[in-house]
Amino acid sequence: MESKIQPFFLTFFLFIILTHAEETLGTYIVQLHPHGKTSTLFTSKQNWHLSFIQQTISSNQDPSSRLLYSYHSAMDGFAATLTHSEFKYLQNLPDVLSIKPDRLLQLQTTYSYKFLGLNPARENGWYQSGFGRGTIIGVLDTGVWPESPSFNDQGMPPVPKKWKGICQQGQAFNFSNCNRKLIGARYFTKGHLAVSPSRIPEYLSPRDSSGHGTHTSSTAGGAPVTMANVFGYAAGVARGMAPGAHIAVYKVCWFNGCYNSDIMAAMDVAIRDGVDVLSLSIGGFPVPLFDDSIAIGSFRAMEHGISVICAAGNNGPTAMSVANEAPWIATIGASTVDRKFPAIVRLANGKILYGESMYPFDRRTRTGEELEVVYLSNEDTESQFCLRGSLPREKVKGKMVVCDRGVNGRSEKGQVVKEAGGAAMILANTELNLEEDSVDVHVLPATLIGFDESVILKNYINSTARPLARIEFGGTVIGRTRAPQVARFSARGPSYSNPSILKPDVIAPGVNIIAAWPQNLGPTGLPEDSRRVNFSVMSGTSMSCPHVSGIAALIRSAHPAWSPAAVKSAIMTTAEITDHAGRAILDEDKQASVFATGSGHVNPQRALNPGLVYDIRPEDYVAHLCSLGYTMSEVFSITHRNVSCHEMLKVNRGFSLNYPSFSVSFKGGMSRKMFSRRVTNVGSPNSIYSVEVMAPEGVKVIVKPKKLFFKRRNQSLSYRVWFLSRKRVKKGNGMDFAQGHLTWLHSQKGSYRVRSPIAVTWKS
Ligand SMILES: *[C@@H]1O[C@H](CO)[C@@H](O)[C@H](O)[C@H]1NC(C)=O
Ligand SMILES: *[C@@H]1O[C@H](CO)[C@@H](O)[C@H](O)[C@H]1NC(C)=O
Ligand SMILES: *[C@@H]1O[C@H](CO)[C@@H](O)[C@H](O)[C@H]1NC(C)=O
Ligand SMILES: *[C@@H]1O[C@H](CO)[C@@H](O)[C@H](O)[C@H]1NC(C)=O
Ligand SMILES: *[C@@H]1O[C@H](CO)[C@@H](O)[C@H](O)[C@H]1NC(C)=O
């Protein structure tokens, strides 16, 4: 019977879908002309926005039922639900600049939900100074767990007078959850509810249900907490990068991701609330800047003097995977830290496989039981990856189960093994992860091994009648590995939408970061995990981003008059290109390219006092966008400036943005490029700087002048640099490139060092 009914149902169903496709509502973000001719006819922006919907939809409907958000600070426009034909109609109304479908973006942890990380509490002198005081960091994420000790407001100054934000009431959250540390909290659901109108299965309030937002906001501005640890691992003082800063959270990400319409609404209100820094550990794939809501909203934020810091994304090591690449955004890649949590596997044949774990082992013995090892690769792929319901109890009961990494969450695999009666787990990297480590908390004794080790292990299992192994836990080990290194997952340049700017800008710690965690969630974030913690461990460019947001707050606190471009320049030109051992930063086992590191690894202490900065005024970006070949209306939709690019580029012949790094692209017969730059003295008066160039292979670099004499503070001087291609450097991987750097050195030895990376590519 059933097999006969089904086809009928299918056809019937398809018929309904097809005939009603026109009527399906989708969410669209509509950008309007900020000084639209029709806007003066209305008493409020919202009424103006409603008038567009009213003209579009049938007269018996209430236009306000379709309006999700009215935007006026991050952009002029609104988000609304429309049918396809309504979308077509609205597109052609006067004053409509652009209209685009809503997009779902993702948080940038290496496992997109509920997995864990660990922060190196950097015990540097600069913490003691209470830096970051008076600044406000706005974090767009999954909300916050306000009772976490990281958000206590002991010793915090009063809420800044300029603050206009609120502590929005909602499920299990009210104004009493805010204090002088956590000064604001809001949540944005409309974009989500438009797509999935059924109940959102989590707190409908700024309260964090997943842990990600609690983790990132405490990384940026968390209060110092002594004795912070995850089951005794990494014990020490935990604190955010700017422990003196205030935090405002904007919950825009829900269980399945973050909609652009909600993100825009949060940026819109955050600009009016008065934040100084916006931290977005959110992203997707690169898109042209005029199609990128975060790029457009952050342009407005930048004009209001707000530093916007974004995650570069986790789609590395693929080239051109870097997202959030607008030049007015600071784009942050991920690096490793020098902290390890060894948990080796000792095979019965005497071989030792290196692995890492954060399982709460018995401190006296440190050693797990010797167990029989099983790897169910012959069953099916589901059991190879230990997916839910895939492990036959009779095959795994009491055994150490090998699970390949990927598909489902790493901690979830542990839960699956435990539920099936397994006694321990070995997580095995595949060709996709190679030797990339990621420490997780598990519900049973477990460790993660690299790809090389997993080959040895699987060969051993294959060649042995009854393979046996035990896991030996080593606790926390600091300083034995070279660090920082580029994290394998960290997104790489060159920039897809904007190749004349080198991206990412810098890298910052993003692997095994420990930070605050919701007190009602187990450290794995799994529903079955009943253990309670205040801290947990996560990895991703999501974790790197708030480190830099905190550093930006420190700089702004020390230099309140600096523009966002000056703050970013300070972070970039002082970044390190060597690791703690003084050798070049590594990416896997080779020297990292500037497309992986940008300017290098952040150095907060030096960033506070950079000597020189490359400043950029908002209007400079207009000429830059023209140089990308954007049309007048595309440039207008980002900058709200109506210019003829033709005229603009004629007046600014040979224009190059005053960016603190160089991206040189030789095309066809073109073998010579000139850039001008302007540096401003923010160090001591009467300073002399001389240039030092490490030329990229195959390229001659000429700088004029070679010395800069600054009489005063705040004095600006220009220089020019020519790049002459002598020979194309063949890299054989489809991309011909070379790299170097240009550094301005202060005459006083050991004083300021202002470095810019140079990336050179050859295109045919
Ligand atoms: C706010 O929440 C706290 C507990 O989190 C509760 O004690 C208090 O009664 C609530 N206040 C209001 C006005 O709902
Ligand atoms: C183990 O042996 C089986 C059959 O002998 C083979 O198909 C499989 O590829 C081997 N696996 C490894 C990891 O060597
Ligand atoms: C978490 O922090 C609270 C407040 O400081 C403390 O009372 C509690 O014992 C901590 N919980 C754990 C598991 O350490
Ligand atoms: C820009 O200015 C031109 C003429 O000056 C005008 O025709 C055009 O509509 C303007 N565009 C926008 C987006 O304001
Ligand atoms: C630095 O110079 C710029 C213009 O060149 C000026 O707007 C600014 O006020 C000056 N800042 C200080 C601290 O003198």
Side-chain angles (χ1 to χ4, degrees):
M1 273 295 273
E2 241 178 48
S3 60
K4 274 179 191 155
I5 289 170
Q6 239 172 353
F8 168 72
F9 264 138
L10 263 178
T11 349
F12 182 65
F13 207 68
L14 270 176
F15 176 72
I16 294 186
I17 291 175
L18 289 174
T19 49
H20 286 257
E22 278 289 293
E23 301 310 316
T24 315
L25 290 176
T27 306
Y28 293 88
I29 298 177
V30 182
Q31 198 182 357
L32 301 175
H33 195 297
H35 322 291
K37 296 177 197 68
T38 53
S39 67
T40 51
L41 304 173
F42 296 90
T43 49
S44 72
K45 289 262 190 191
Q46 179 154 334
N47 286 342
W48 182 43
H49 298 163
L50 282 169
S51 76
F52 286 88
I53 301 175
Q54 186 146 33
Q55 290 172 69
T56 303
I57 64 175
S58 67
S59 56
N60 58 3
Q61 288 186 45
D62 174 10
S64 60
S65 71
R66 299 288 199 87
L67 182 72
L68 301 183
Y69 295 110
S70 241
Y71 307 125
H72 19 109
S73 300
M75 71 157 64
D76 267 281
F78 57 93
T81 53
L82 304 168
T83 64
H84 189 70
S85 49
E86 289 165 351
F87 151 73
K88 288 281 187 198
Y89 181 81
L90 208 155
Q91 197 170 30
N92 295 315
L93 291 180
D95 290 337
V96 173
L97 279 183
S98 78
I99 170 164
K100 28 189 176 272
D102 205 0
R103 269 208 315 154
L104 184 65
L105 303 180
Q106 293 298 333
L107 295 164
Q108 296 299 313
T109 48
T110 56
Y111 182 57
S112 56
Y113 76 98
K114 295 172 181 174
F115 122 90
L116 319 171
L118 124 86
N119 178 1
R122 299 174 151 238
E123 253 68 57
N124 287 332
W126 60 278
Y127 270 119
Q128 273 98 56
S129 49
F131 275 142
R133 248 181 128 80
T135 56
I136 304 166
I137 305 173
V139 182
L140 272 61
D141 212 296
T142 63
V144 68
W145 193 266
E147 293 84 5
S148 159
S150 295
F151 302 109
N152 86 72
D153 66 354
Q154 223 181 350
M156 285 296 292
V159 175
K161 289 220 167 56
K162 64 170 183 173
W163 179 243
K164 298 199 179 61
I166 60 163
C167 198
Q168 190 179 358
Q169 183 143 355
Q171 189 182 357
F173 204 98
N174 65 37
F175 63 88
S176 73
N177 290 119
C178 290
N179 59 21
R180 282 171 295 153
K181 166 57 75 182
L182 181 66
I183 62 171
R186 297 180 187 261
Y187 67 104
F188 302 83
T189 53
K190 290 178 184 168
H192 254 276
L193 291 174
V195 177
S196 37
S198 54
R199 208 178 70 79
I200 291 183
E202 58 180 288
Y203 295 112
L204 264 181
S205 74
R207 188 173 288 276
D208 185 3
S209 306
S210 86
H212 192 275
T214 300
H215 201 278
T216 56
S217 43
S218 70
T219 300
V225 182
T226 52
M227 303 289 287
N229 68 81
V230 183
F231 298 133
Y233 284 94
V237 182
R239 53 188 127 198
M241 293 306 285
H246 306 279
I247 297 169
V249 304
Y250 299 85
K251 181 170 174 179
V252 295
C253 297
W254 302 85
F255 60 97
N256 61 344
C258 338
Y259 280 99
N260 259 333
S261 54
D262 293 330
I263 295 170
M264 281 307 283
M267 290 181 93
D268 199 59
V269 71
I271 291 172
R272 294 194 292 275
D273 282 351
V275 301
D276 298 300
V277 177
L278 272 176
S279 190
L280 285 85
S281 293
I282 301 171
F285 290 92
V287 287
L289 301 180
F290 52 83
D291 264 344
D292 183 345
S293 299
I294 292 180
I296 294 172
S298 56
F299 190 91
R300 288 286 103 60
M302 175 272 296
E303 285 186 304
H304 283 85
I306 299 167
S307 292
V308 183
I309 320 292
C310 294
N314 300 340
N315 295 318
T318 311
M320 281 192 160
S321 51
V322 60
N324 294 322
E325 40 189 340
W328 46 89
I329 289 175
T331 313
I332 316 302
S335 62
T336 63
V337 297
D338 66 346
R339 185 165 10 192
K340 294 274 178 194
F341 306 93
I344 61 162
V345 180
R346 189 182 294 275
L347 305 178
N349 68 4
K351 281 221 171 72
I352 289 173
L353 309 176
Y354 182 80
E356 288 195 66
S357 176
M358 259 194 181
Y359 180 74
F361 57 87
D362 180 337
R363 268 159 215 289
R364 278 163 305 144
T365 60
R366 297 202 156 213
T367 301
E369 248 182 292
E370 185 163 71
L371 299 167
E372 185 176 343
V373 191
V374 287
Y375 174 51
L376 299 176
S377 63
N378 297 337
E379 298 284 320
D380 51 38
T381 33
E382 294 212 344
S383 34
Q384 183 179 340
F385 288 102
C386 302
L387 305 189
R388 281 210 185 263
S390 70
L391 299 179
R393 176 167 285 267
E394 69 280 5
K395 293 213 169 122
V396 302
K397 191 164 188 301
K399 297 192 179 149
M400 185 179 294
V401 182
V402 180
C403 303
D404 282 343
R405 185 168 169 187
V407 189
N408 60 345
R410 297 184 289 275
S411 301
E412 188 180 314
K413 292 177 197 286
Q415 182 69 31
V416 171
V417 171
K418 188 179 180 188
E419 276 168 9
M425 172 177 70
I426 301 174
L427 259 165
N429 275 1
T430 65
E431 294 96 324
L432 282 181
N433 321 103
L434 297 178
E435 303 309 304
E436 179 190 324
D437 63 349
S438 180
V439 171
D440 306 292
V441 181
H442 292 286
V443 295
L444 81 177
T447 188
L448 176 130
I449 60 174
F451 179 60
D452 291 348
E453 288 79 6
S454 82
V455 172
I456 298 172
L457 175 68
K458 288 169 189 174
N459 282 337
Y460 166 70
I461 296 171
N462 244 16
S463 61
T464 316
R466 192 165 175 266
L468 296 169
R470 66 169 83 237
I471 301 176
E472 296 177 13
F473 297 95
T476 310
V477 176
I478 296 175
R480 296 246 191 94
T481 45
R482 279 180 67 179
Q485 299 185 28
V486 177
R488 183 175 163 81
F489 59 76
S490 185
R492 312 297 156 98
S495 168
Y496 159 81
S497 68
N498 197 0
S500 52
I501 300 292
L502 176 64
K503 289 280 176 174
D505 290 306
V506 287
I507 52 172
V511 177
N512 303 339
I513 304 301
I514 287 175
W517 197 247
Q519 291 158 317
N520 73 330
L521 277 184
T524 57
L526 294 165
E528 302 88 349
D529 191 353
S530 60
R531 298 169 295 178
R532 292 297 170 252
V533 291
N534 284 319
F535 294 90
S536 196
V537 61
M538 297 187 101
S539 295
T541 51
S542 268
M543 282 63 242
S544 311
C545 168
H547 278 92
V548 179
S549 305
I551 296 170
L554 297 171
I555 299 174
R556 293 185 63 106
S557 174
H559 310 283
W562 286 12
S563 69
V567 170
K568 188 164 84 168
S569 171
I571 294 169
M572 289 170 66
T573 62
T574 58
E576 304 291 341
I577 56 171
T578 52
D579 62 19
H580 294 167
R583 289 181 285 174
I585 290 176
L586 292 179
D587 183 1
E588 303 281 302
D589 45 10
K590 55 184 194 308
Q591 185 183 337
S593 103
V594 291
F595 293 123
T597 61
S599 293
H601 193 251
V602 289
N603 181 335
Q605 222 157 349
R606 291 195 51 216
L608 282 164
N609 193 9
L612 304 176
V613 292
Y614 292 80
D615 206 358
I616 301 175
R617 299 164 306 162
E619 51 269 34
D620 299 334
Y621 293 111
V622 178
H624 174 74
L625 293 172
C626 283
S627 76
L628 294 179
Y630 284 10
T631 65
M632 185 189 255
S633 70
E634 286 164 352
V635 172
F636 189 88
S637 72
I638 299 169
T639 65
H640 286 185
R641 286 165 174 82
N642 192 6
V643 294
S644 150
C645 277
H646 185 70
E647 291 296 314
M648 181 63 118
L649 292 176
K650 219 158 78 185
V651 176
N652 297 282
R653 266 182 78 88
F655 172 84
S656 58
L657 191 65
N658 197 34
Y659 212 73
S661 61
F662 296 92
S663 176
V664 189
S665 158
F666 293 115
K667 287 191 194 84
M670 180 81 92
S671 61
R672 184 187 154 105
K673 289 250 162 151
M674 191 276 287
F675 295 85
S676 48
R677 288 288 190 271
R678 193 169 179 79
V679 279
T680 304
N681 181 23
V682 294
S684 21
N686 298 314
S687 285
I688 305 171
Y689 283 84
S690 34
V691 76
E692 184 190 82
V693 173
M694 172 80 88
E697 192 187 341
V699 178
K700 186 176 166 68
V701 181
I702 300 164
V703 182
K704 280 183 189 164
K706 286 186 159 40
K707 273 189 195 298
L708 297 172
F709 300 88
F710 293 94
K711 287 202 184 63
R712 293 174 290 106
R713 238 179 118 91
N714 201 30
Q715 182 186 357
S716 294
L717 293 173
S718 298
Y719 70 92
R720 286 173 168 204
V721 47
W722 285 262
F723 297 96
L724 310 167
S725 170
R726 290 169 147 177
K727 69 169 203 297
R728 189 186 183 106
V729 174
K730 292 272 180 223
K731 278 283 185 320
N733 58 354
M735 191 168 72
D736 296 341
F737 77 96
Q739 65 184 49
H741 49 252
L742 180 159
T743 309
W744 288 100
L745 288 167
H746 195 276
S747 56
Q748 198 180 327
K749 232 180 149 53
S751 180
Y752 302 113
R753 180 196 73 198
V754 186
R755 181 173 38 226
S756 298
I758 302 167
V760 177
T761 51
W762 285 267
K763 297 209 170 68
S764 30

Short mmCIF file of all heavy atoms in Angstrom, two decimals, residues 33 37 97 632-633 636-637 642-643, ligand 4:
data_model
loop_
_atom_site.label_atom_id
_atom_site.label_comp_id
_atom_site.label_asym_id
_atom_site.label_seq_id
_atom_site.Cartn_x
_atom_site.Cartn_y
_atom_site.Cartn_z
N HIS A 33 18.39 54.83 -0.25
CA HIS A 33 19.20 56.04 -0.34
C HIS A 33 19.05 56.81 0.97
O HIS A 33 17.93 57.11 1.38
CB HIS A 33 18.73 56.87 -1.53
CG HIS A 33 19.71 57.92 -1.91
ND1 HIS A 33 20.06 58.95 -1.07
CD2 HIS A 33 20.43 58.09 -3.04
CE1 HIS A 33 20.96 59.70 -1.67
NE2 HIS A 33 21.20 59.20 -2.87
N LYS A 37 14.52 60.95 -1.69
CA LYS A 37 13.60 62.07 -1.95
C LYS A 37 12.31 61.89 -1.18
O LYS A 37 11.71 62.85 -0.70
CB LYS A 37 13.30 62.15 -3.44
CG LYS A 37 14.52 62.47 -4.27
CD LYS A 37 14.17 62.45 -5.76
CE LYS A 37 15.41 62.35 -6.62
NZ LYS A 37 16.10 61.03 -6.49
N LEU A 97 18.41 51.28 -3.12
CA LEU A 97 19.78 51.14 -3.62
C LEU A 97 20.09 49.69 -3.95
O LEU A 97 20.69 49.38 -4.96
CB LEU A 97 20.78 51.61 -2.56
CG LEU A 97 21.04 53.09 -2.40
CD1 LEU A 97 22.12 53.28 -1.35
CD2 LEU A 97 21.47 53.71 -3.71
N MET A 632 29.43 53.27 -9.64
CA MET A 632 29.05 54.38 -8.77
C MET A 632 28.05 53.95 -7.71
O MET A 632 28.17 54.30 -6.54
CB MET A 632 28.44 55.48 -9.65
CG MET A 632 28.11 56.74 -8.91
SD MET A 632 27.16 57.82 -10.01
CE MET A 632 28.37 59.00 -10.45
N SER A 633 27.07 53.14 -8.11
CA SER A 633 26.06 52.78 -7.11
C SER A 633 26.60 51.76 -6.12
O SER A 633 26.19 51.74 -4.96
CB SER A 633 24.78 52.29 -7.79
OG SER A 633 25.01 51.04 -8.37
N PHE A 636 28.50 53.82 -3.74
CA PHE A 636 27.56 54.58 -2.92
C PHE A 636 26.93 53.70 -1.84
O PHE A 636 26.77 54.12 -0.69
CB PHE A 636 26.46 55.19 -3.80
CG PHE A 636 25.59 56.15 -3.05
CD1 PHE A 636 25.93 57.50 -2.96
CD2 PHE A 636 24.45 55.70 -2.39
CE1 PHE A 636 25.14 58.37 -2.24
CE2 PHE A 636 23.67 56.57 -1.66
CZ PHE A 636 24.01 57.91 -1.58
N SER A 637 26.57 52.47 -2.19
CA SER A 637 25.86 51.64 -1.21
C SER A 637 26.75 51.32 -0.01
O SER A 637 26.26 51.07 1.08
CB SER A 637 25.32 50.37 -1.86
OG SER A 637 26.38 49.49 -2.17
N ASN A 642 28.54 59.95 -3.18
CA ASN A 642 28.20 59.88 -4.59
C ASN A 642 29.34 60.47 -5.39
O ASN A 642 29.50 61.69 -5.47
CB ASN A 642 26.89 60.67 -4.82
CG ASN A 642 26.31 60.40 -6.19
OD1 ASN A 642 26.82 59.56 -6.94
ND2 ASN A 642 25.28 61.14 -6.55
N VAL A 643 30.16 59.62 -5.97
CA VAL A 643 31.32 60.10 -6.72
C VAL A 643 31.36 59.43 -8.09
O VAL A 643 30.84 58.33 -8.26
CB VAL A 643 32.65 59.78 -6.01
CG1 VAL A 643 32.76 60.54 -4.71
CG2 VAL A 643 32.81 58.28 -5.78
C1 LIG B 4 24.70 60.70 -7.88
O1 LIG B 4 24.74 61.92 -8.55
C2 LIG B 4 24.25 61.86 -9.89
C3 LIG B 4 24.42 63.22 -10.54
O2 LIG B 4 25.20 64.05 -9.78
C4 LIG B 4 22.78 61.46 -9.85
O3 LIG B 4 22.28 61.37 -11.17
C5 LIG B 4 22.64 60.14 -9.17
O4 LIG B 4 21.30 59.78 -9.02
C6 LIG B 4 23.29 60.19 -7.79
N1 LIG B 4 23.26 58.84 -7.25
C7 LIG B 4 22.95 58.59 -6.01
C8 LIG B 4 22.97 57.13 -5.63
O5 LIG B 4 22.71 59.45 -5.20
#
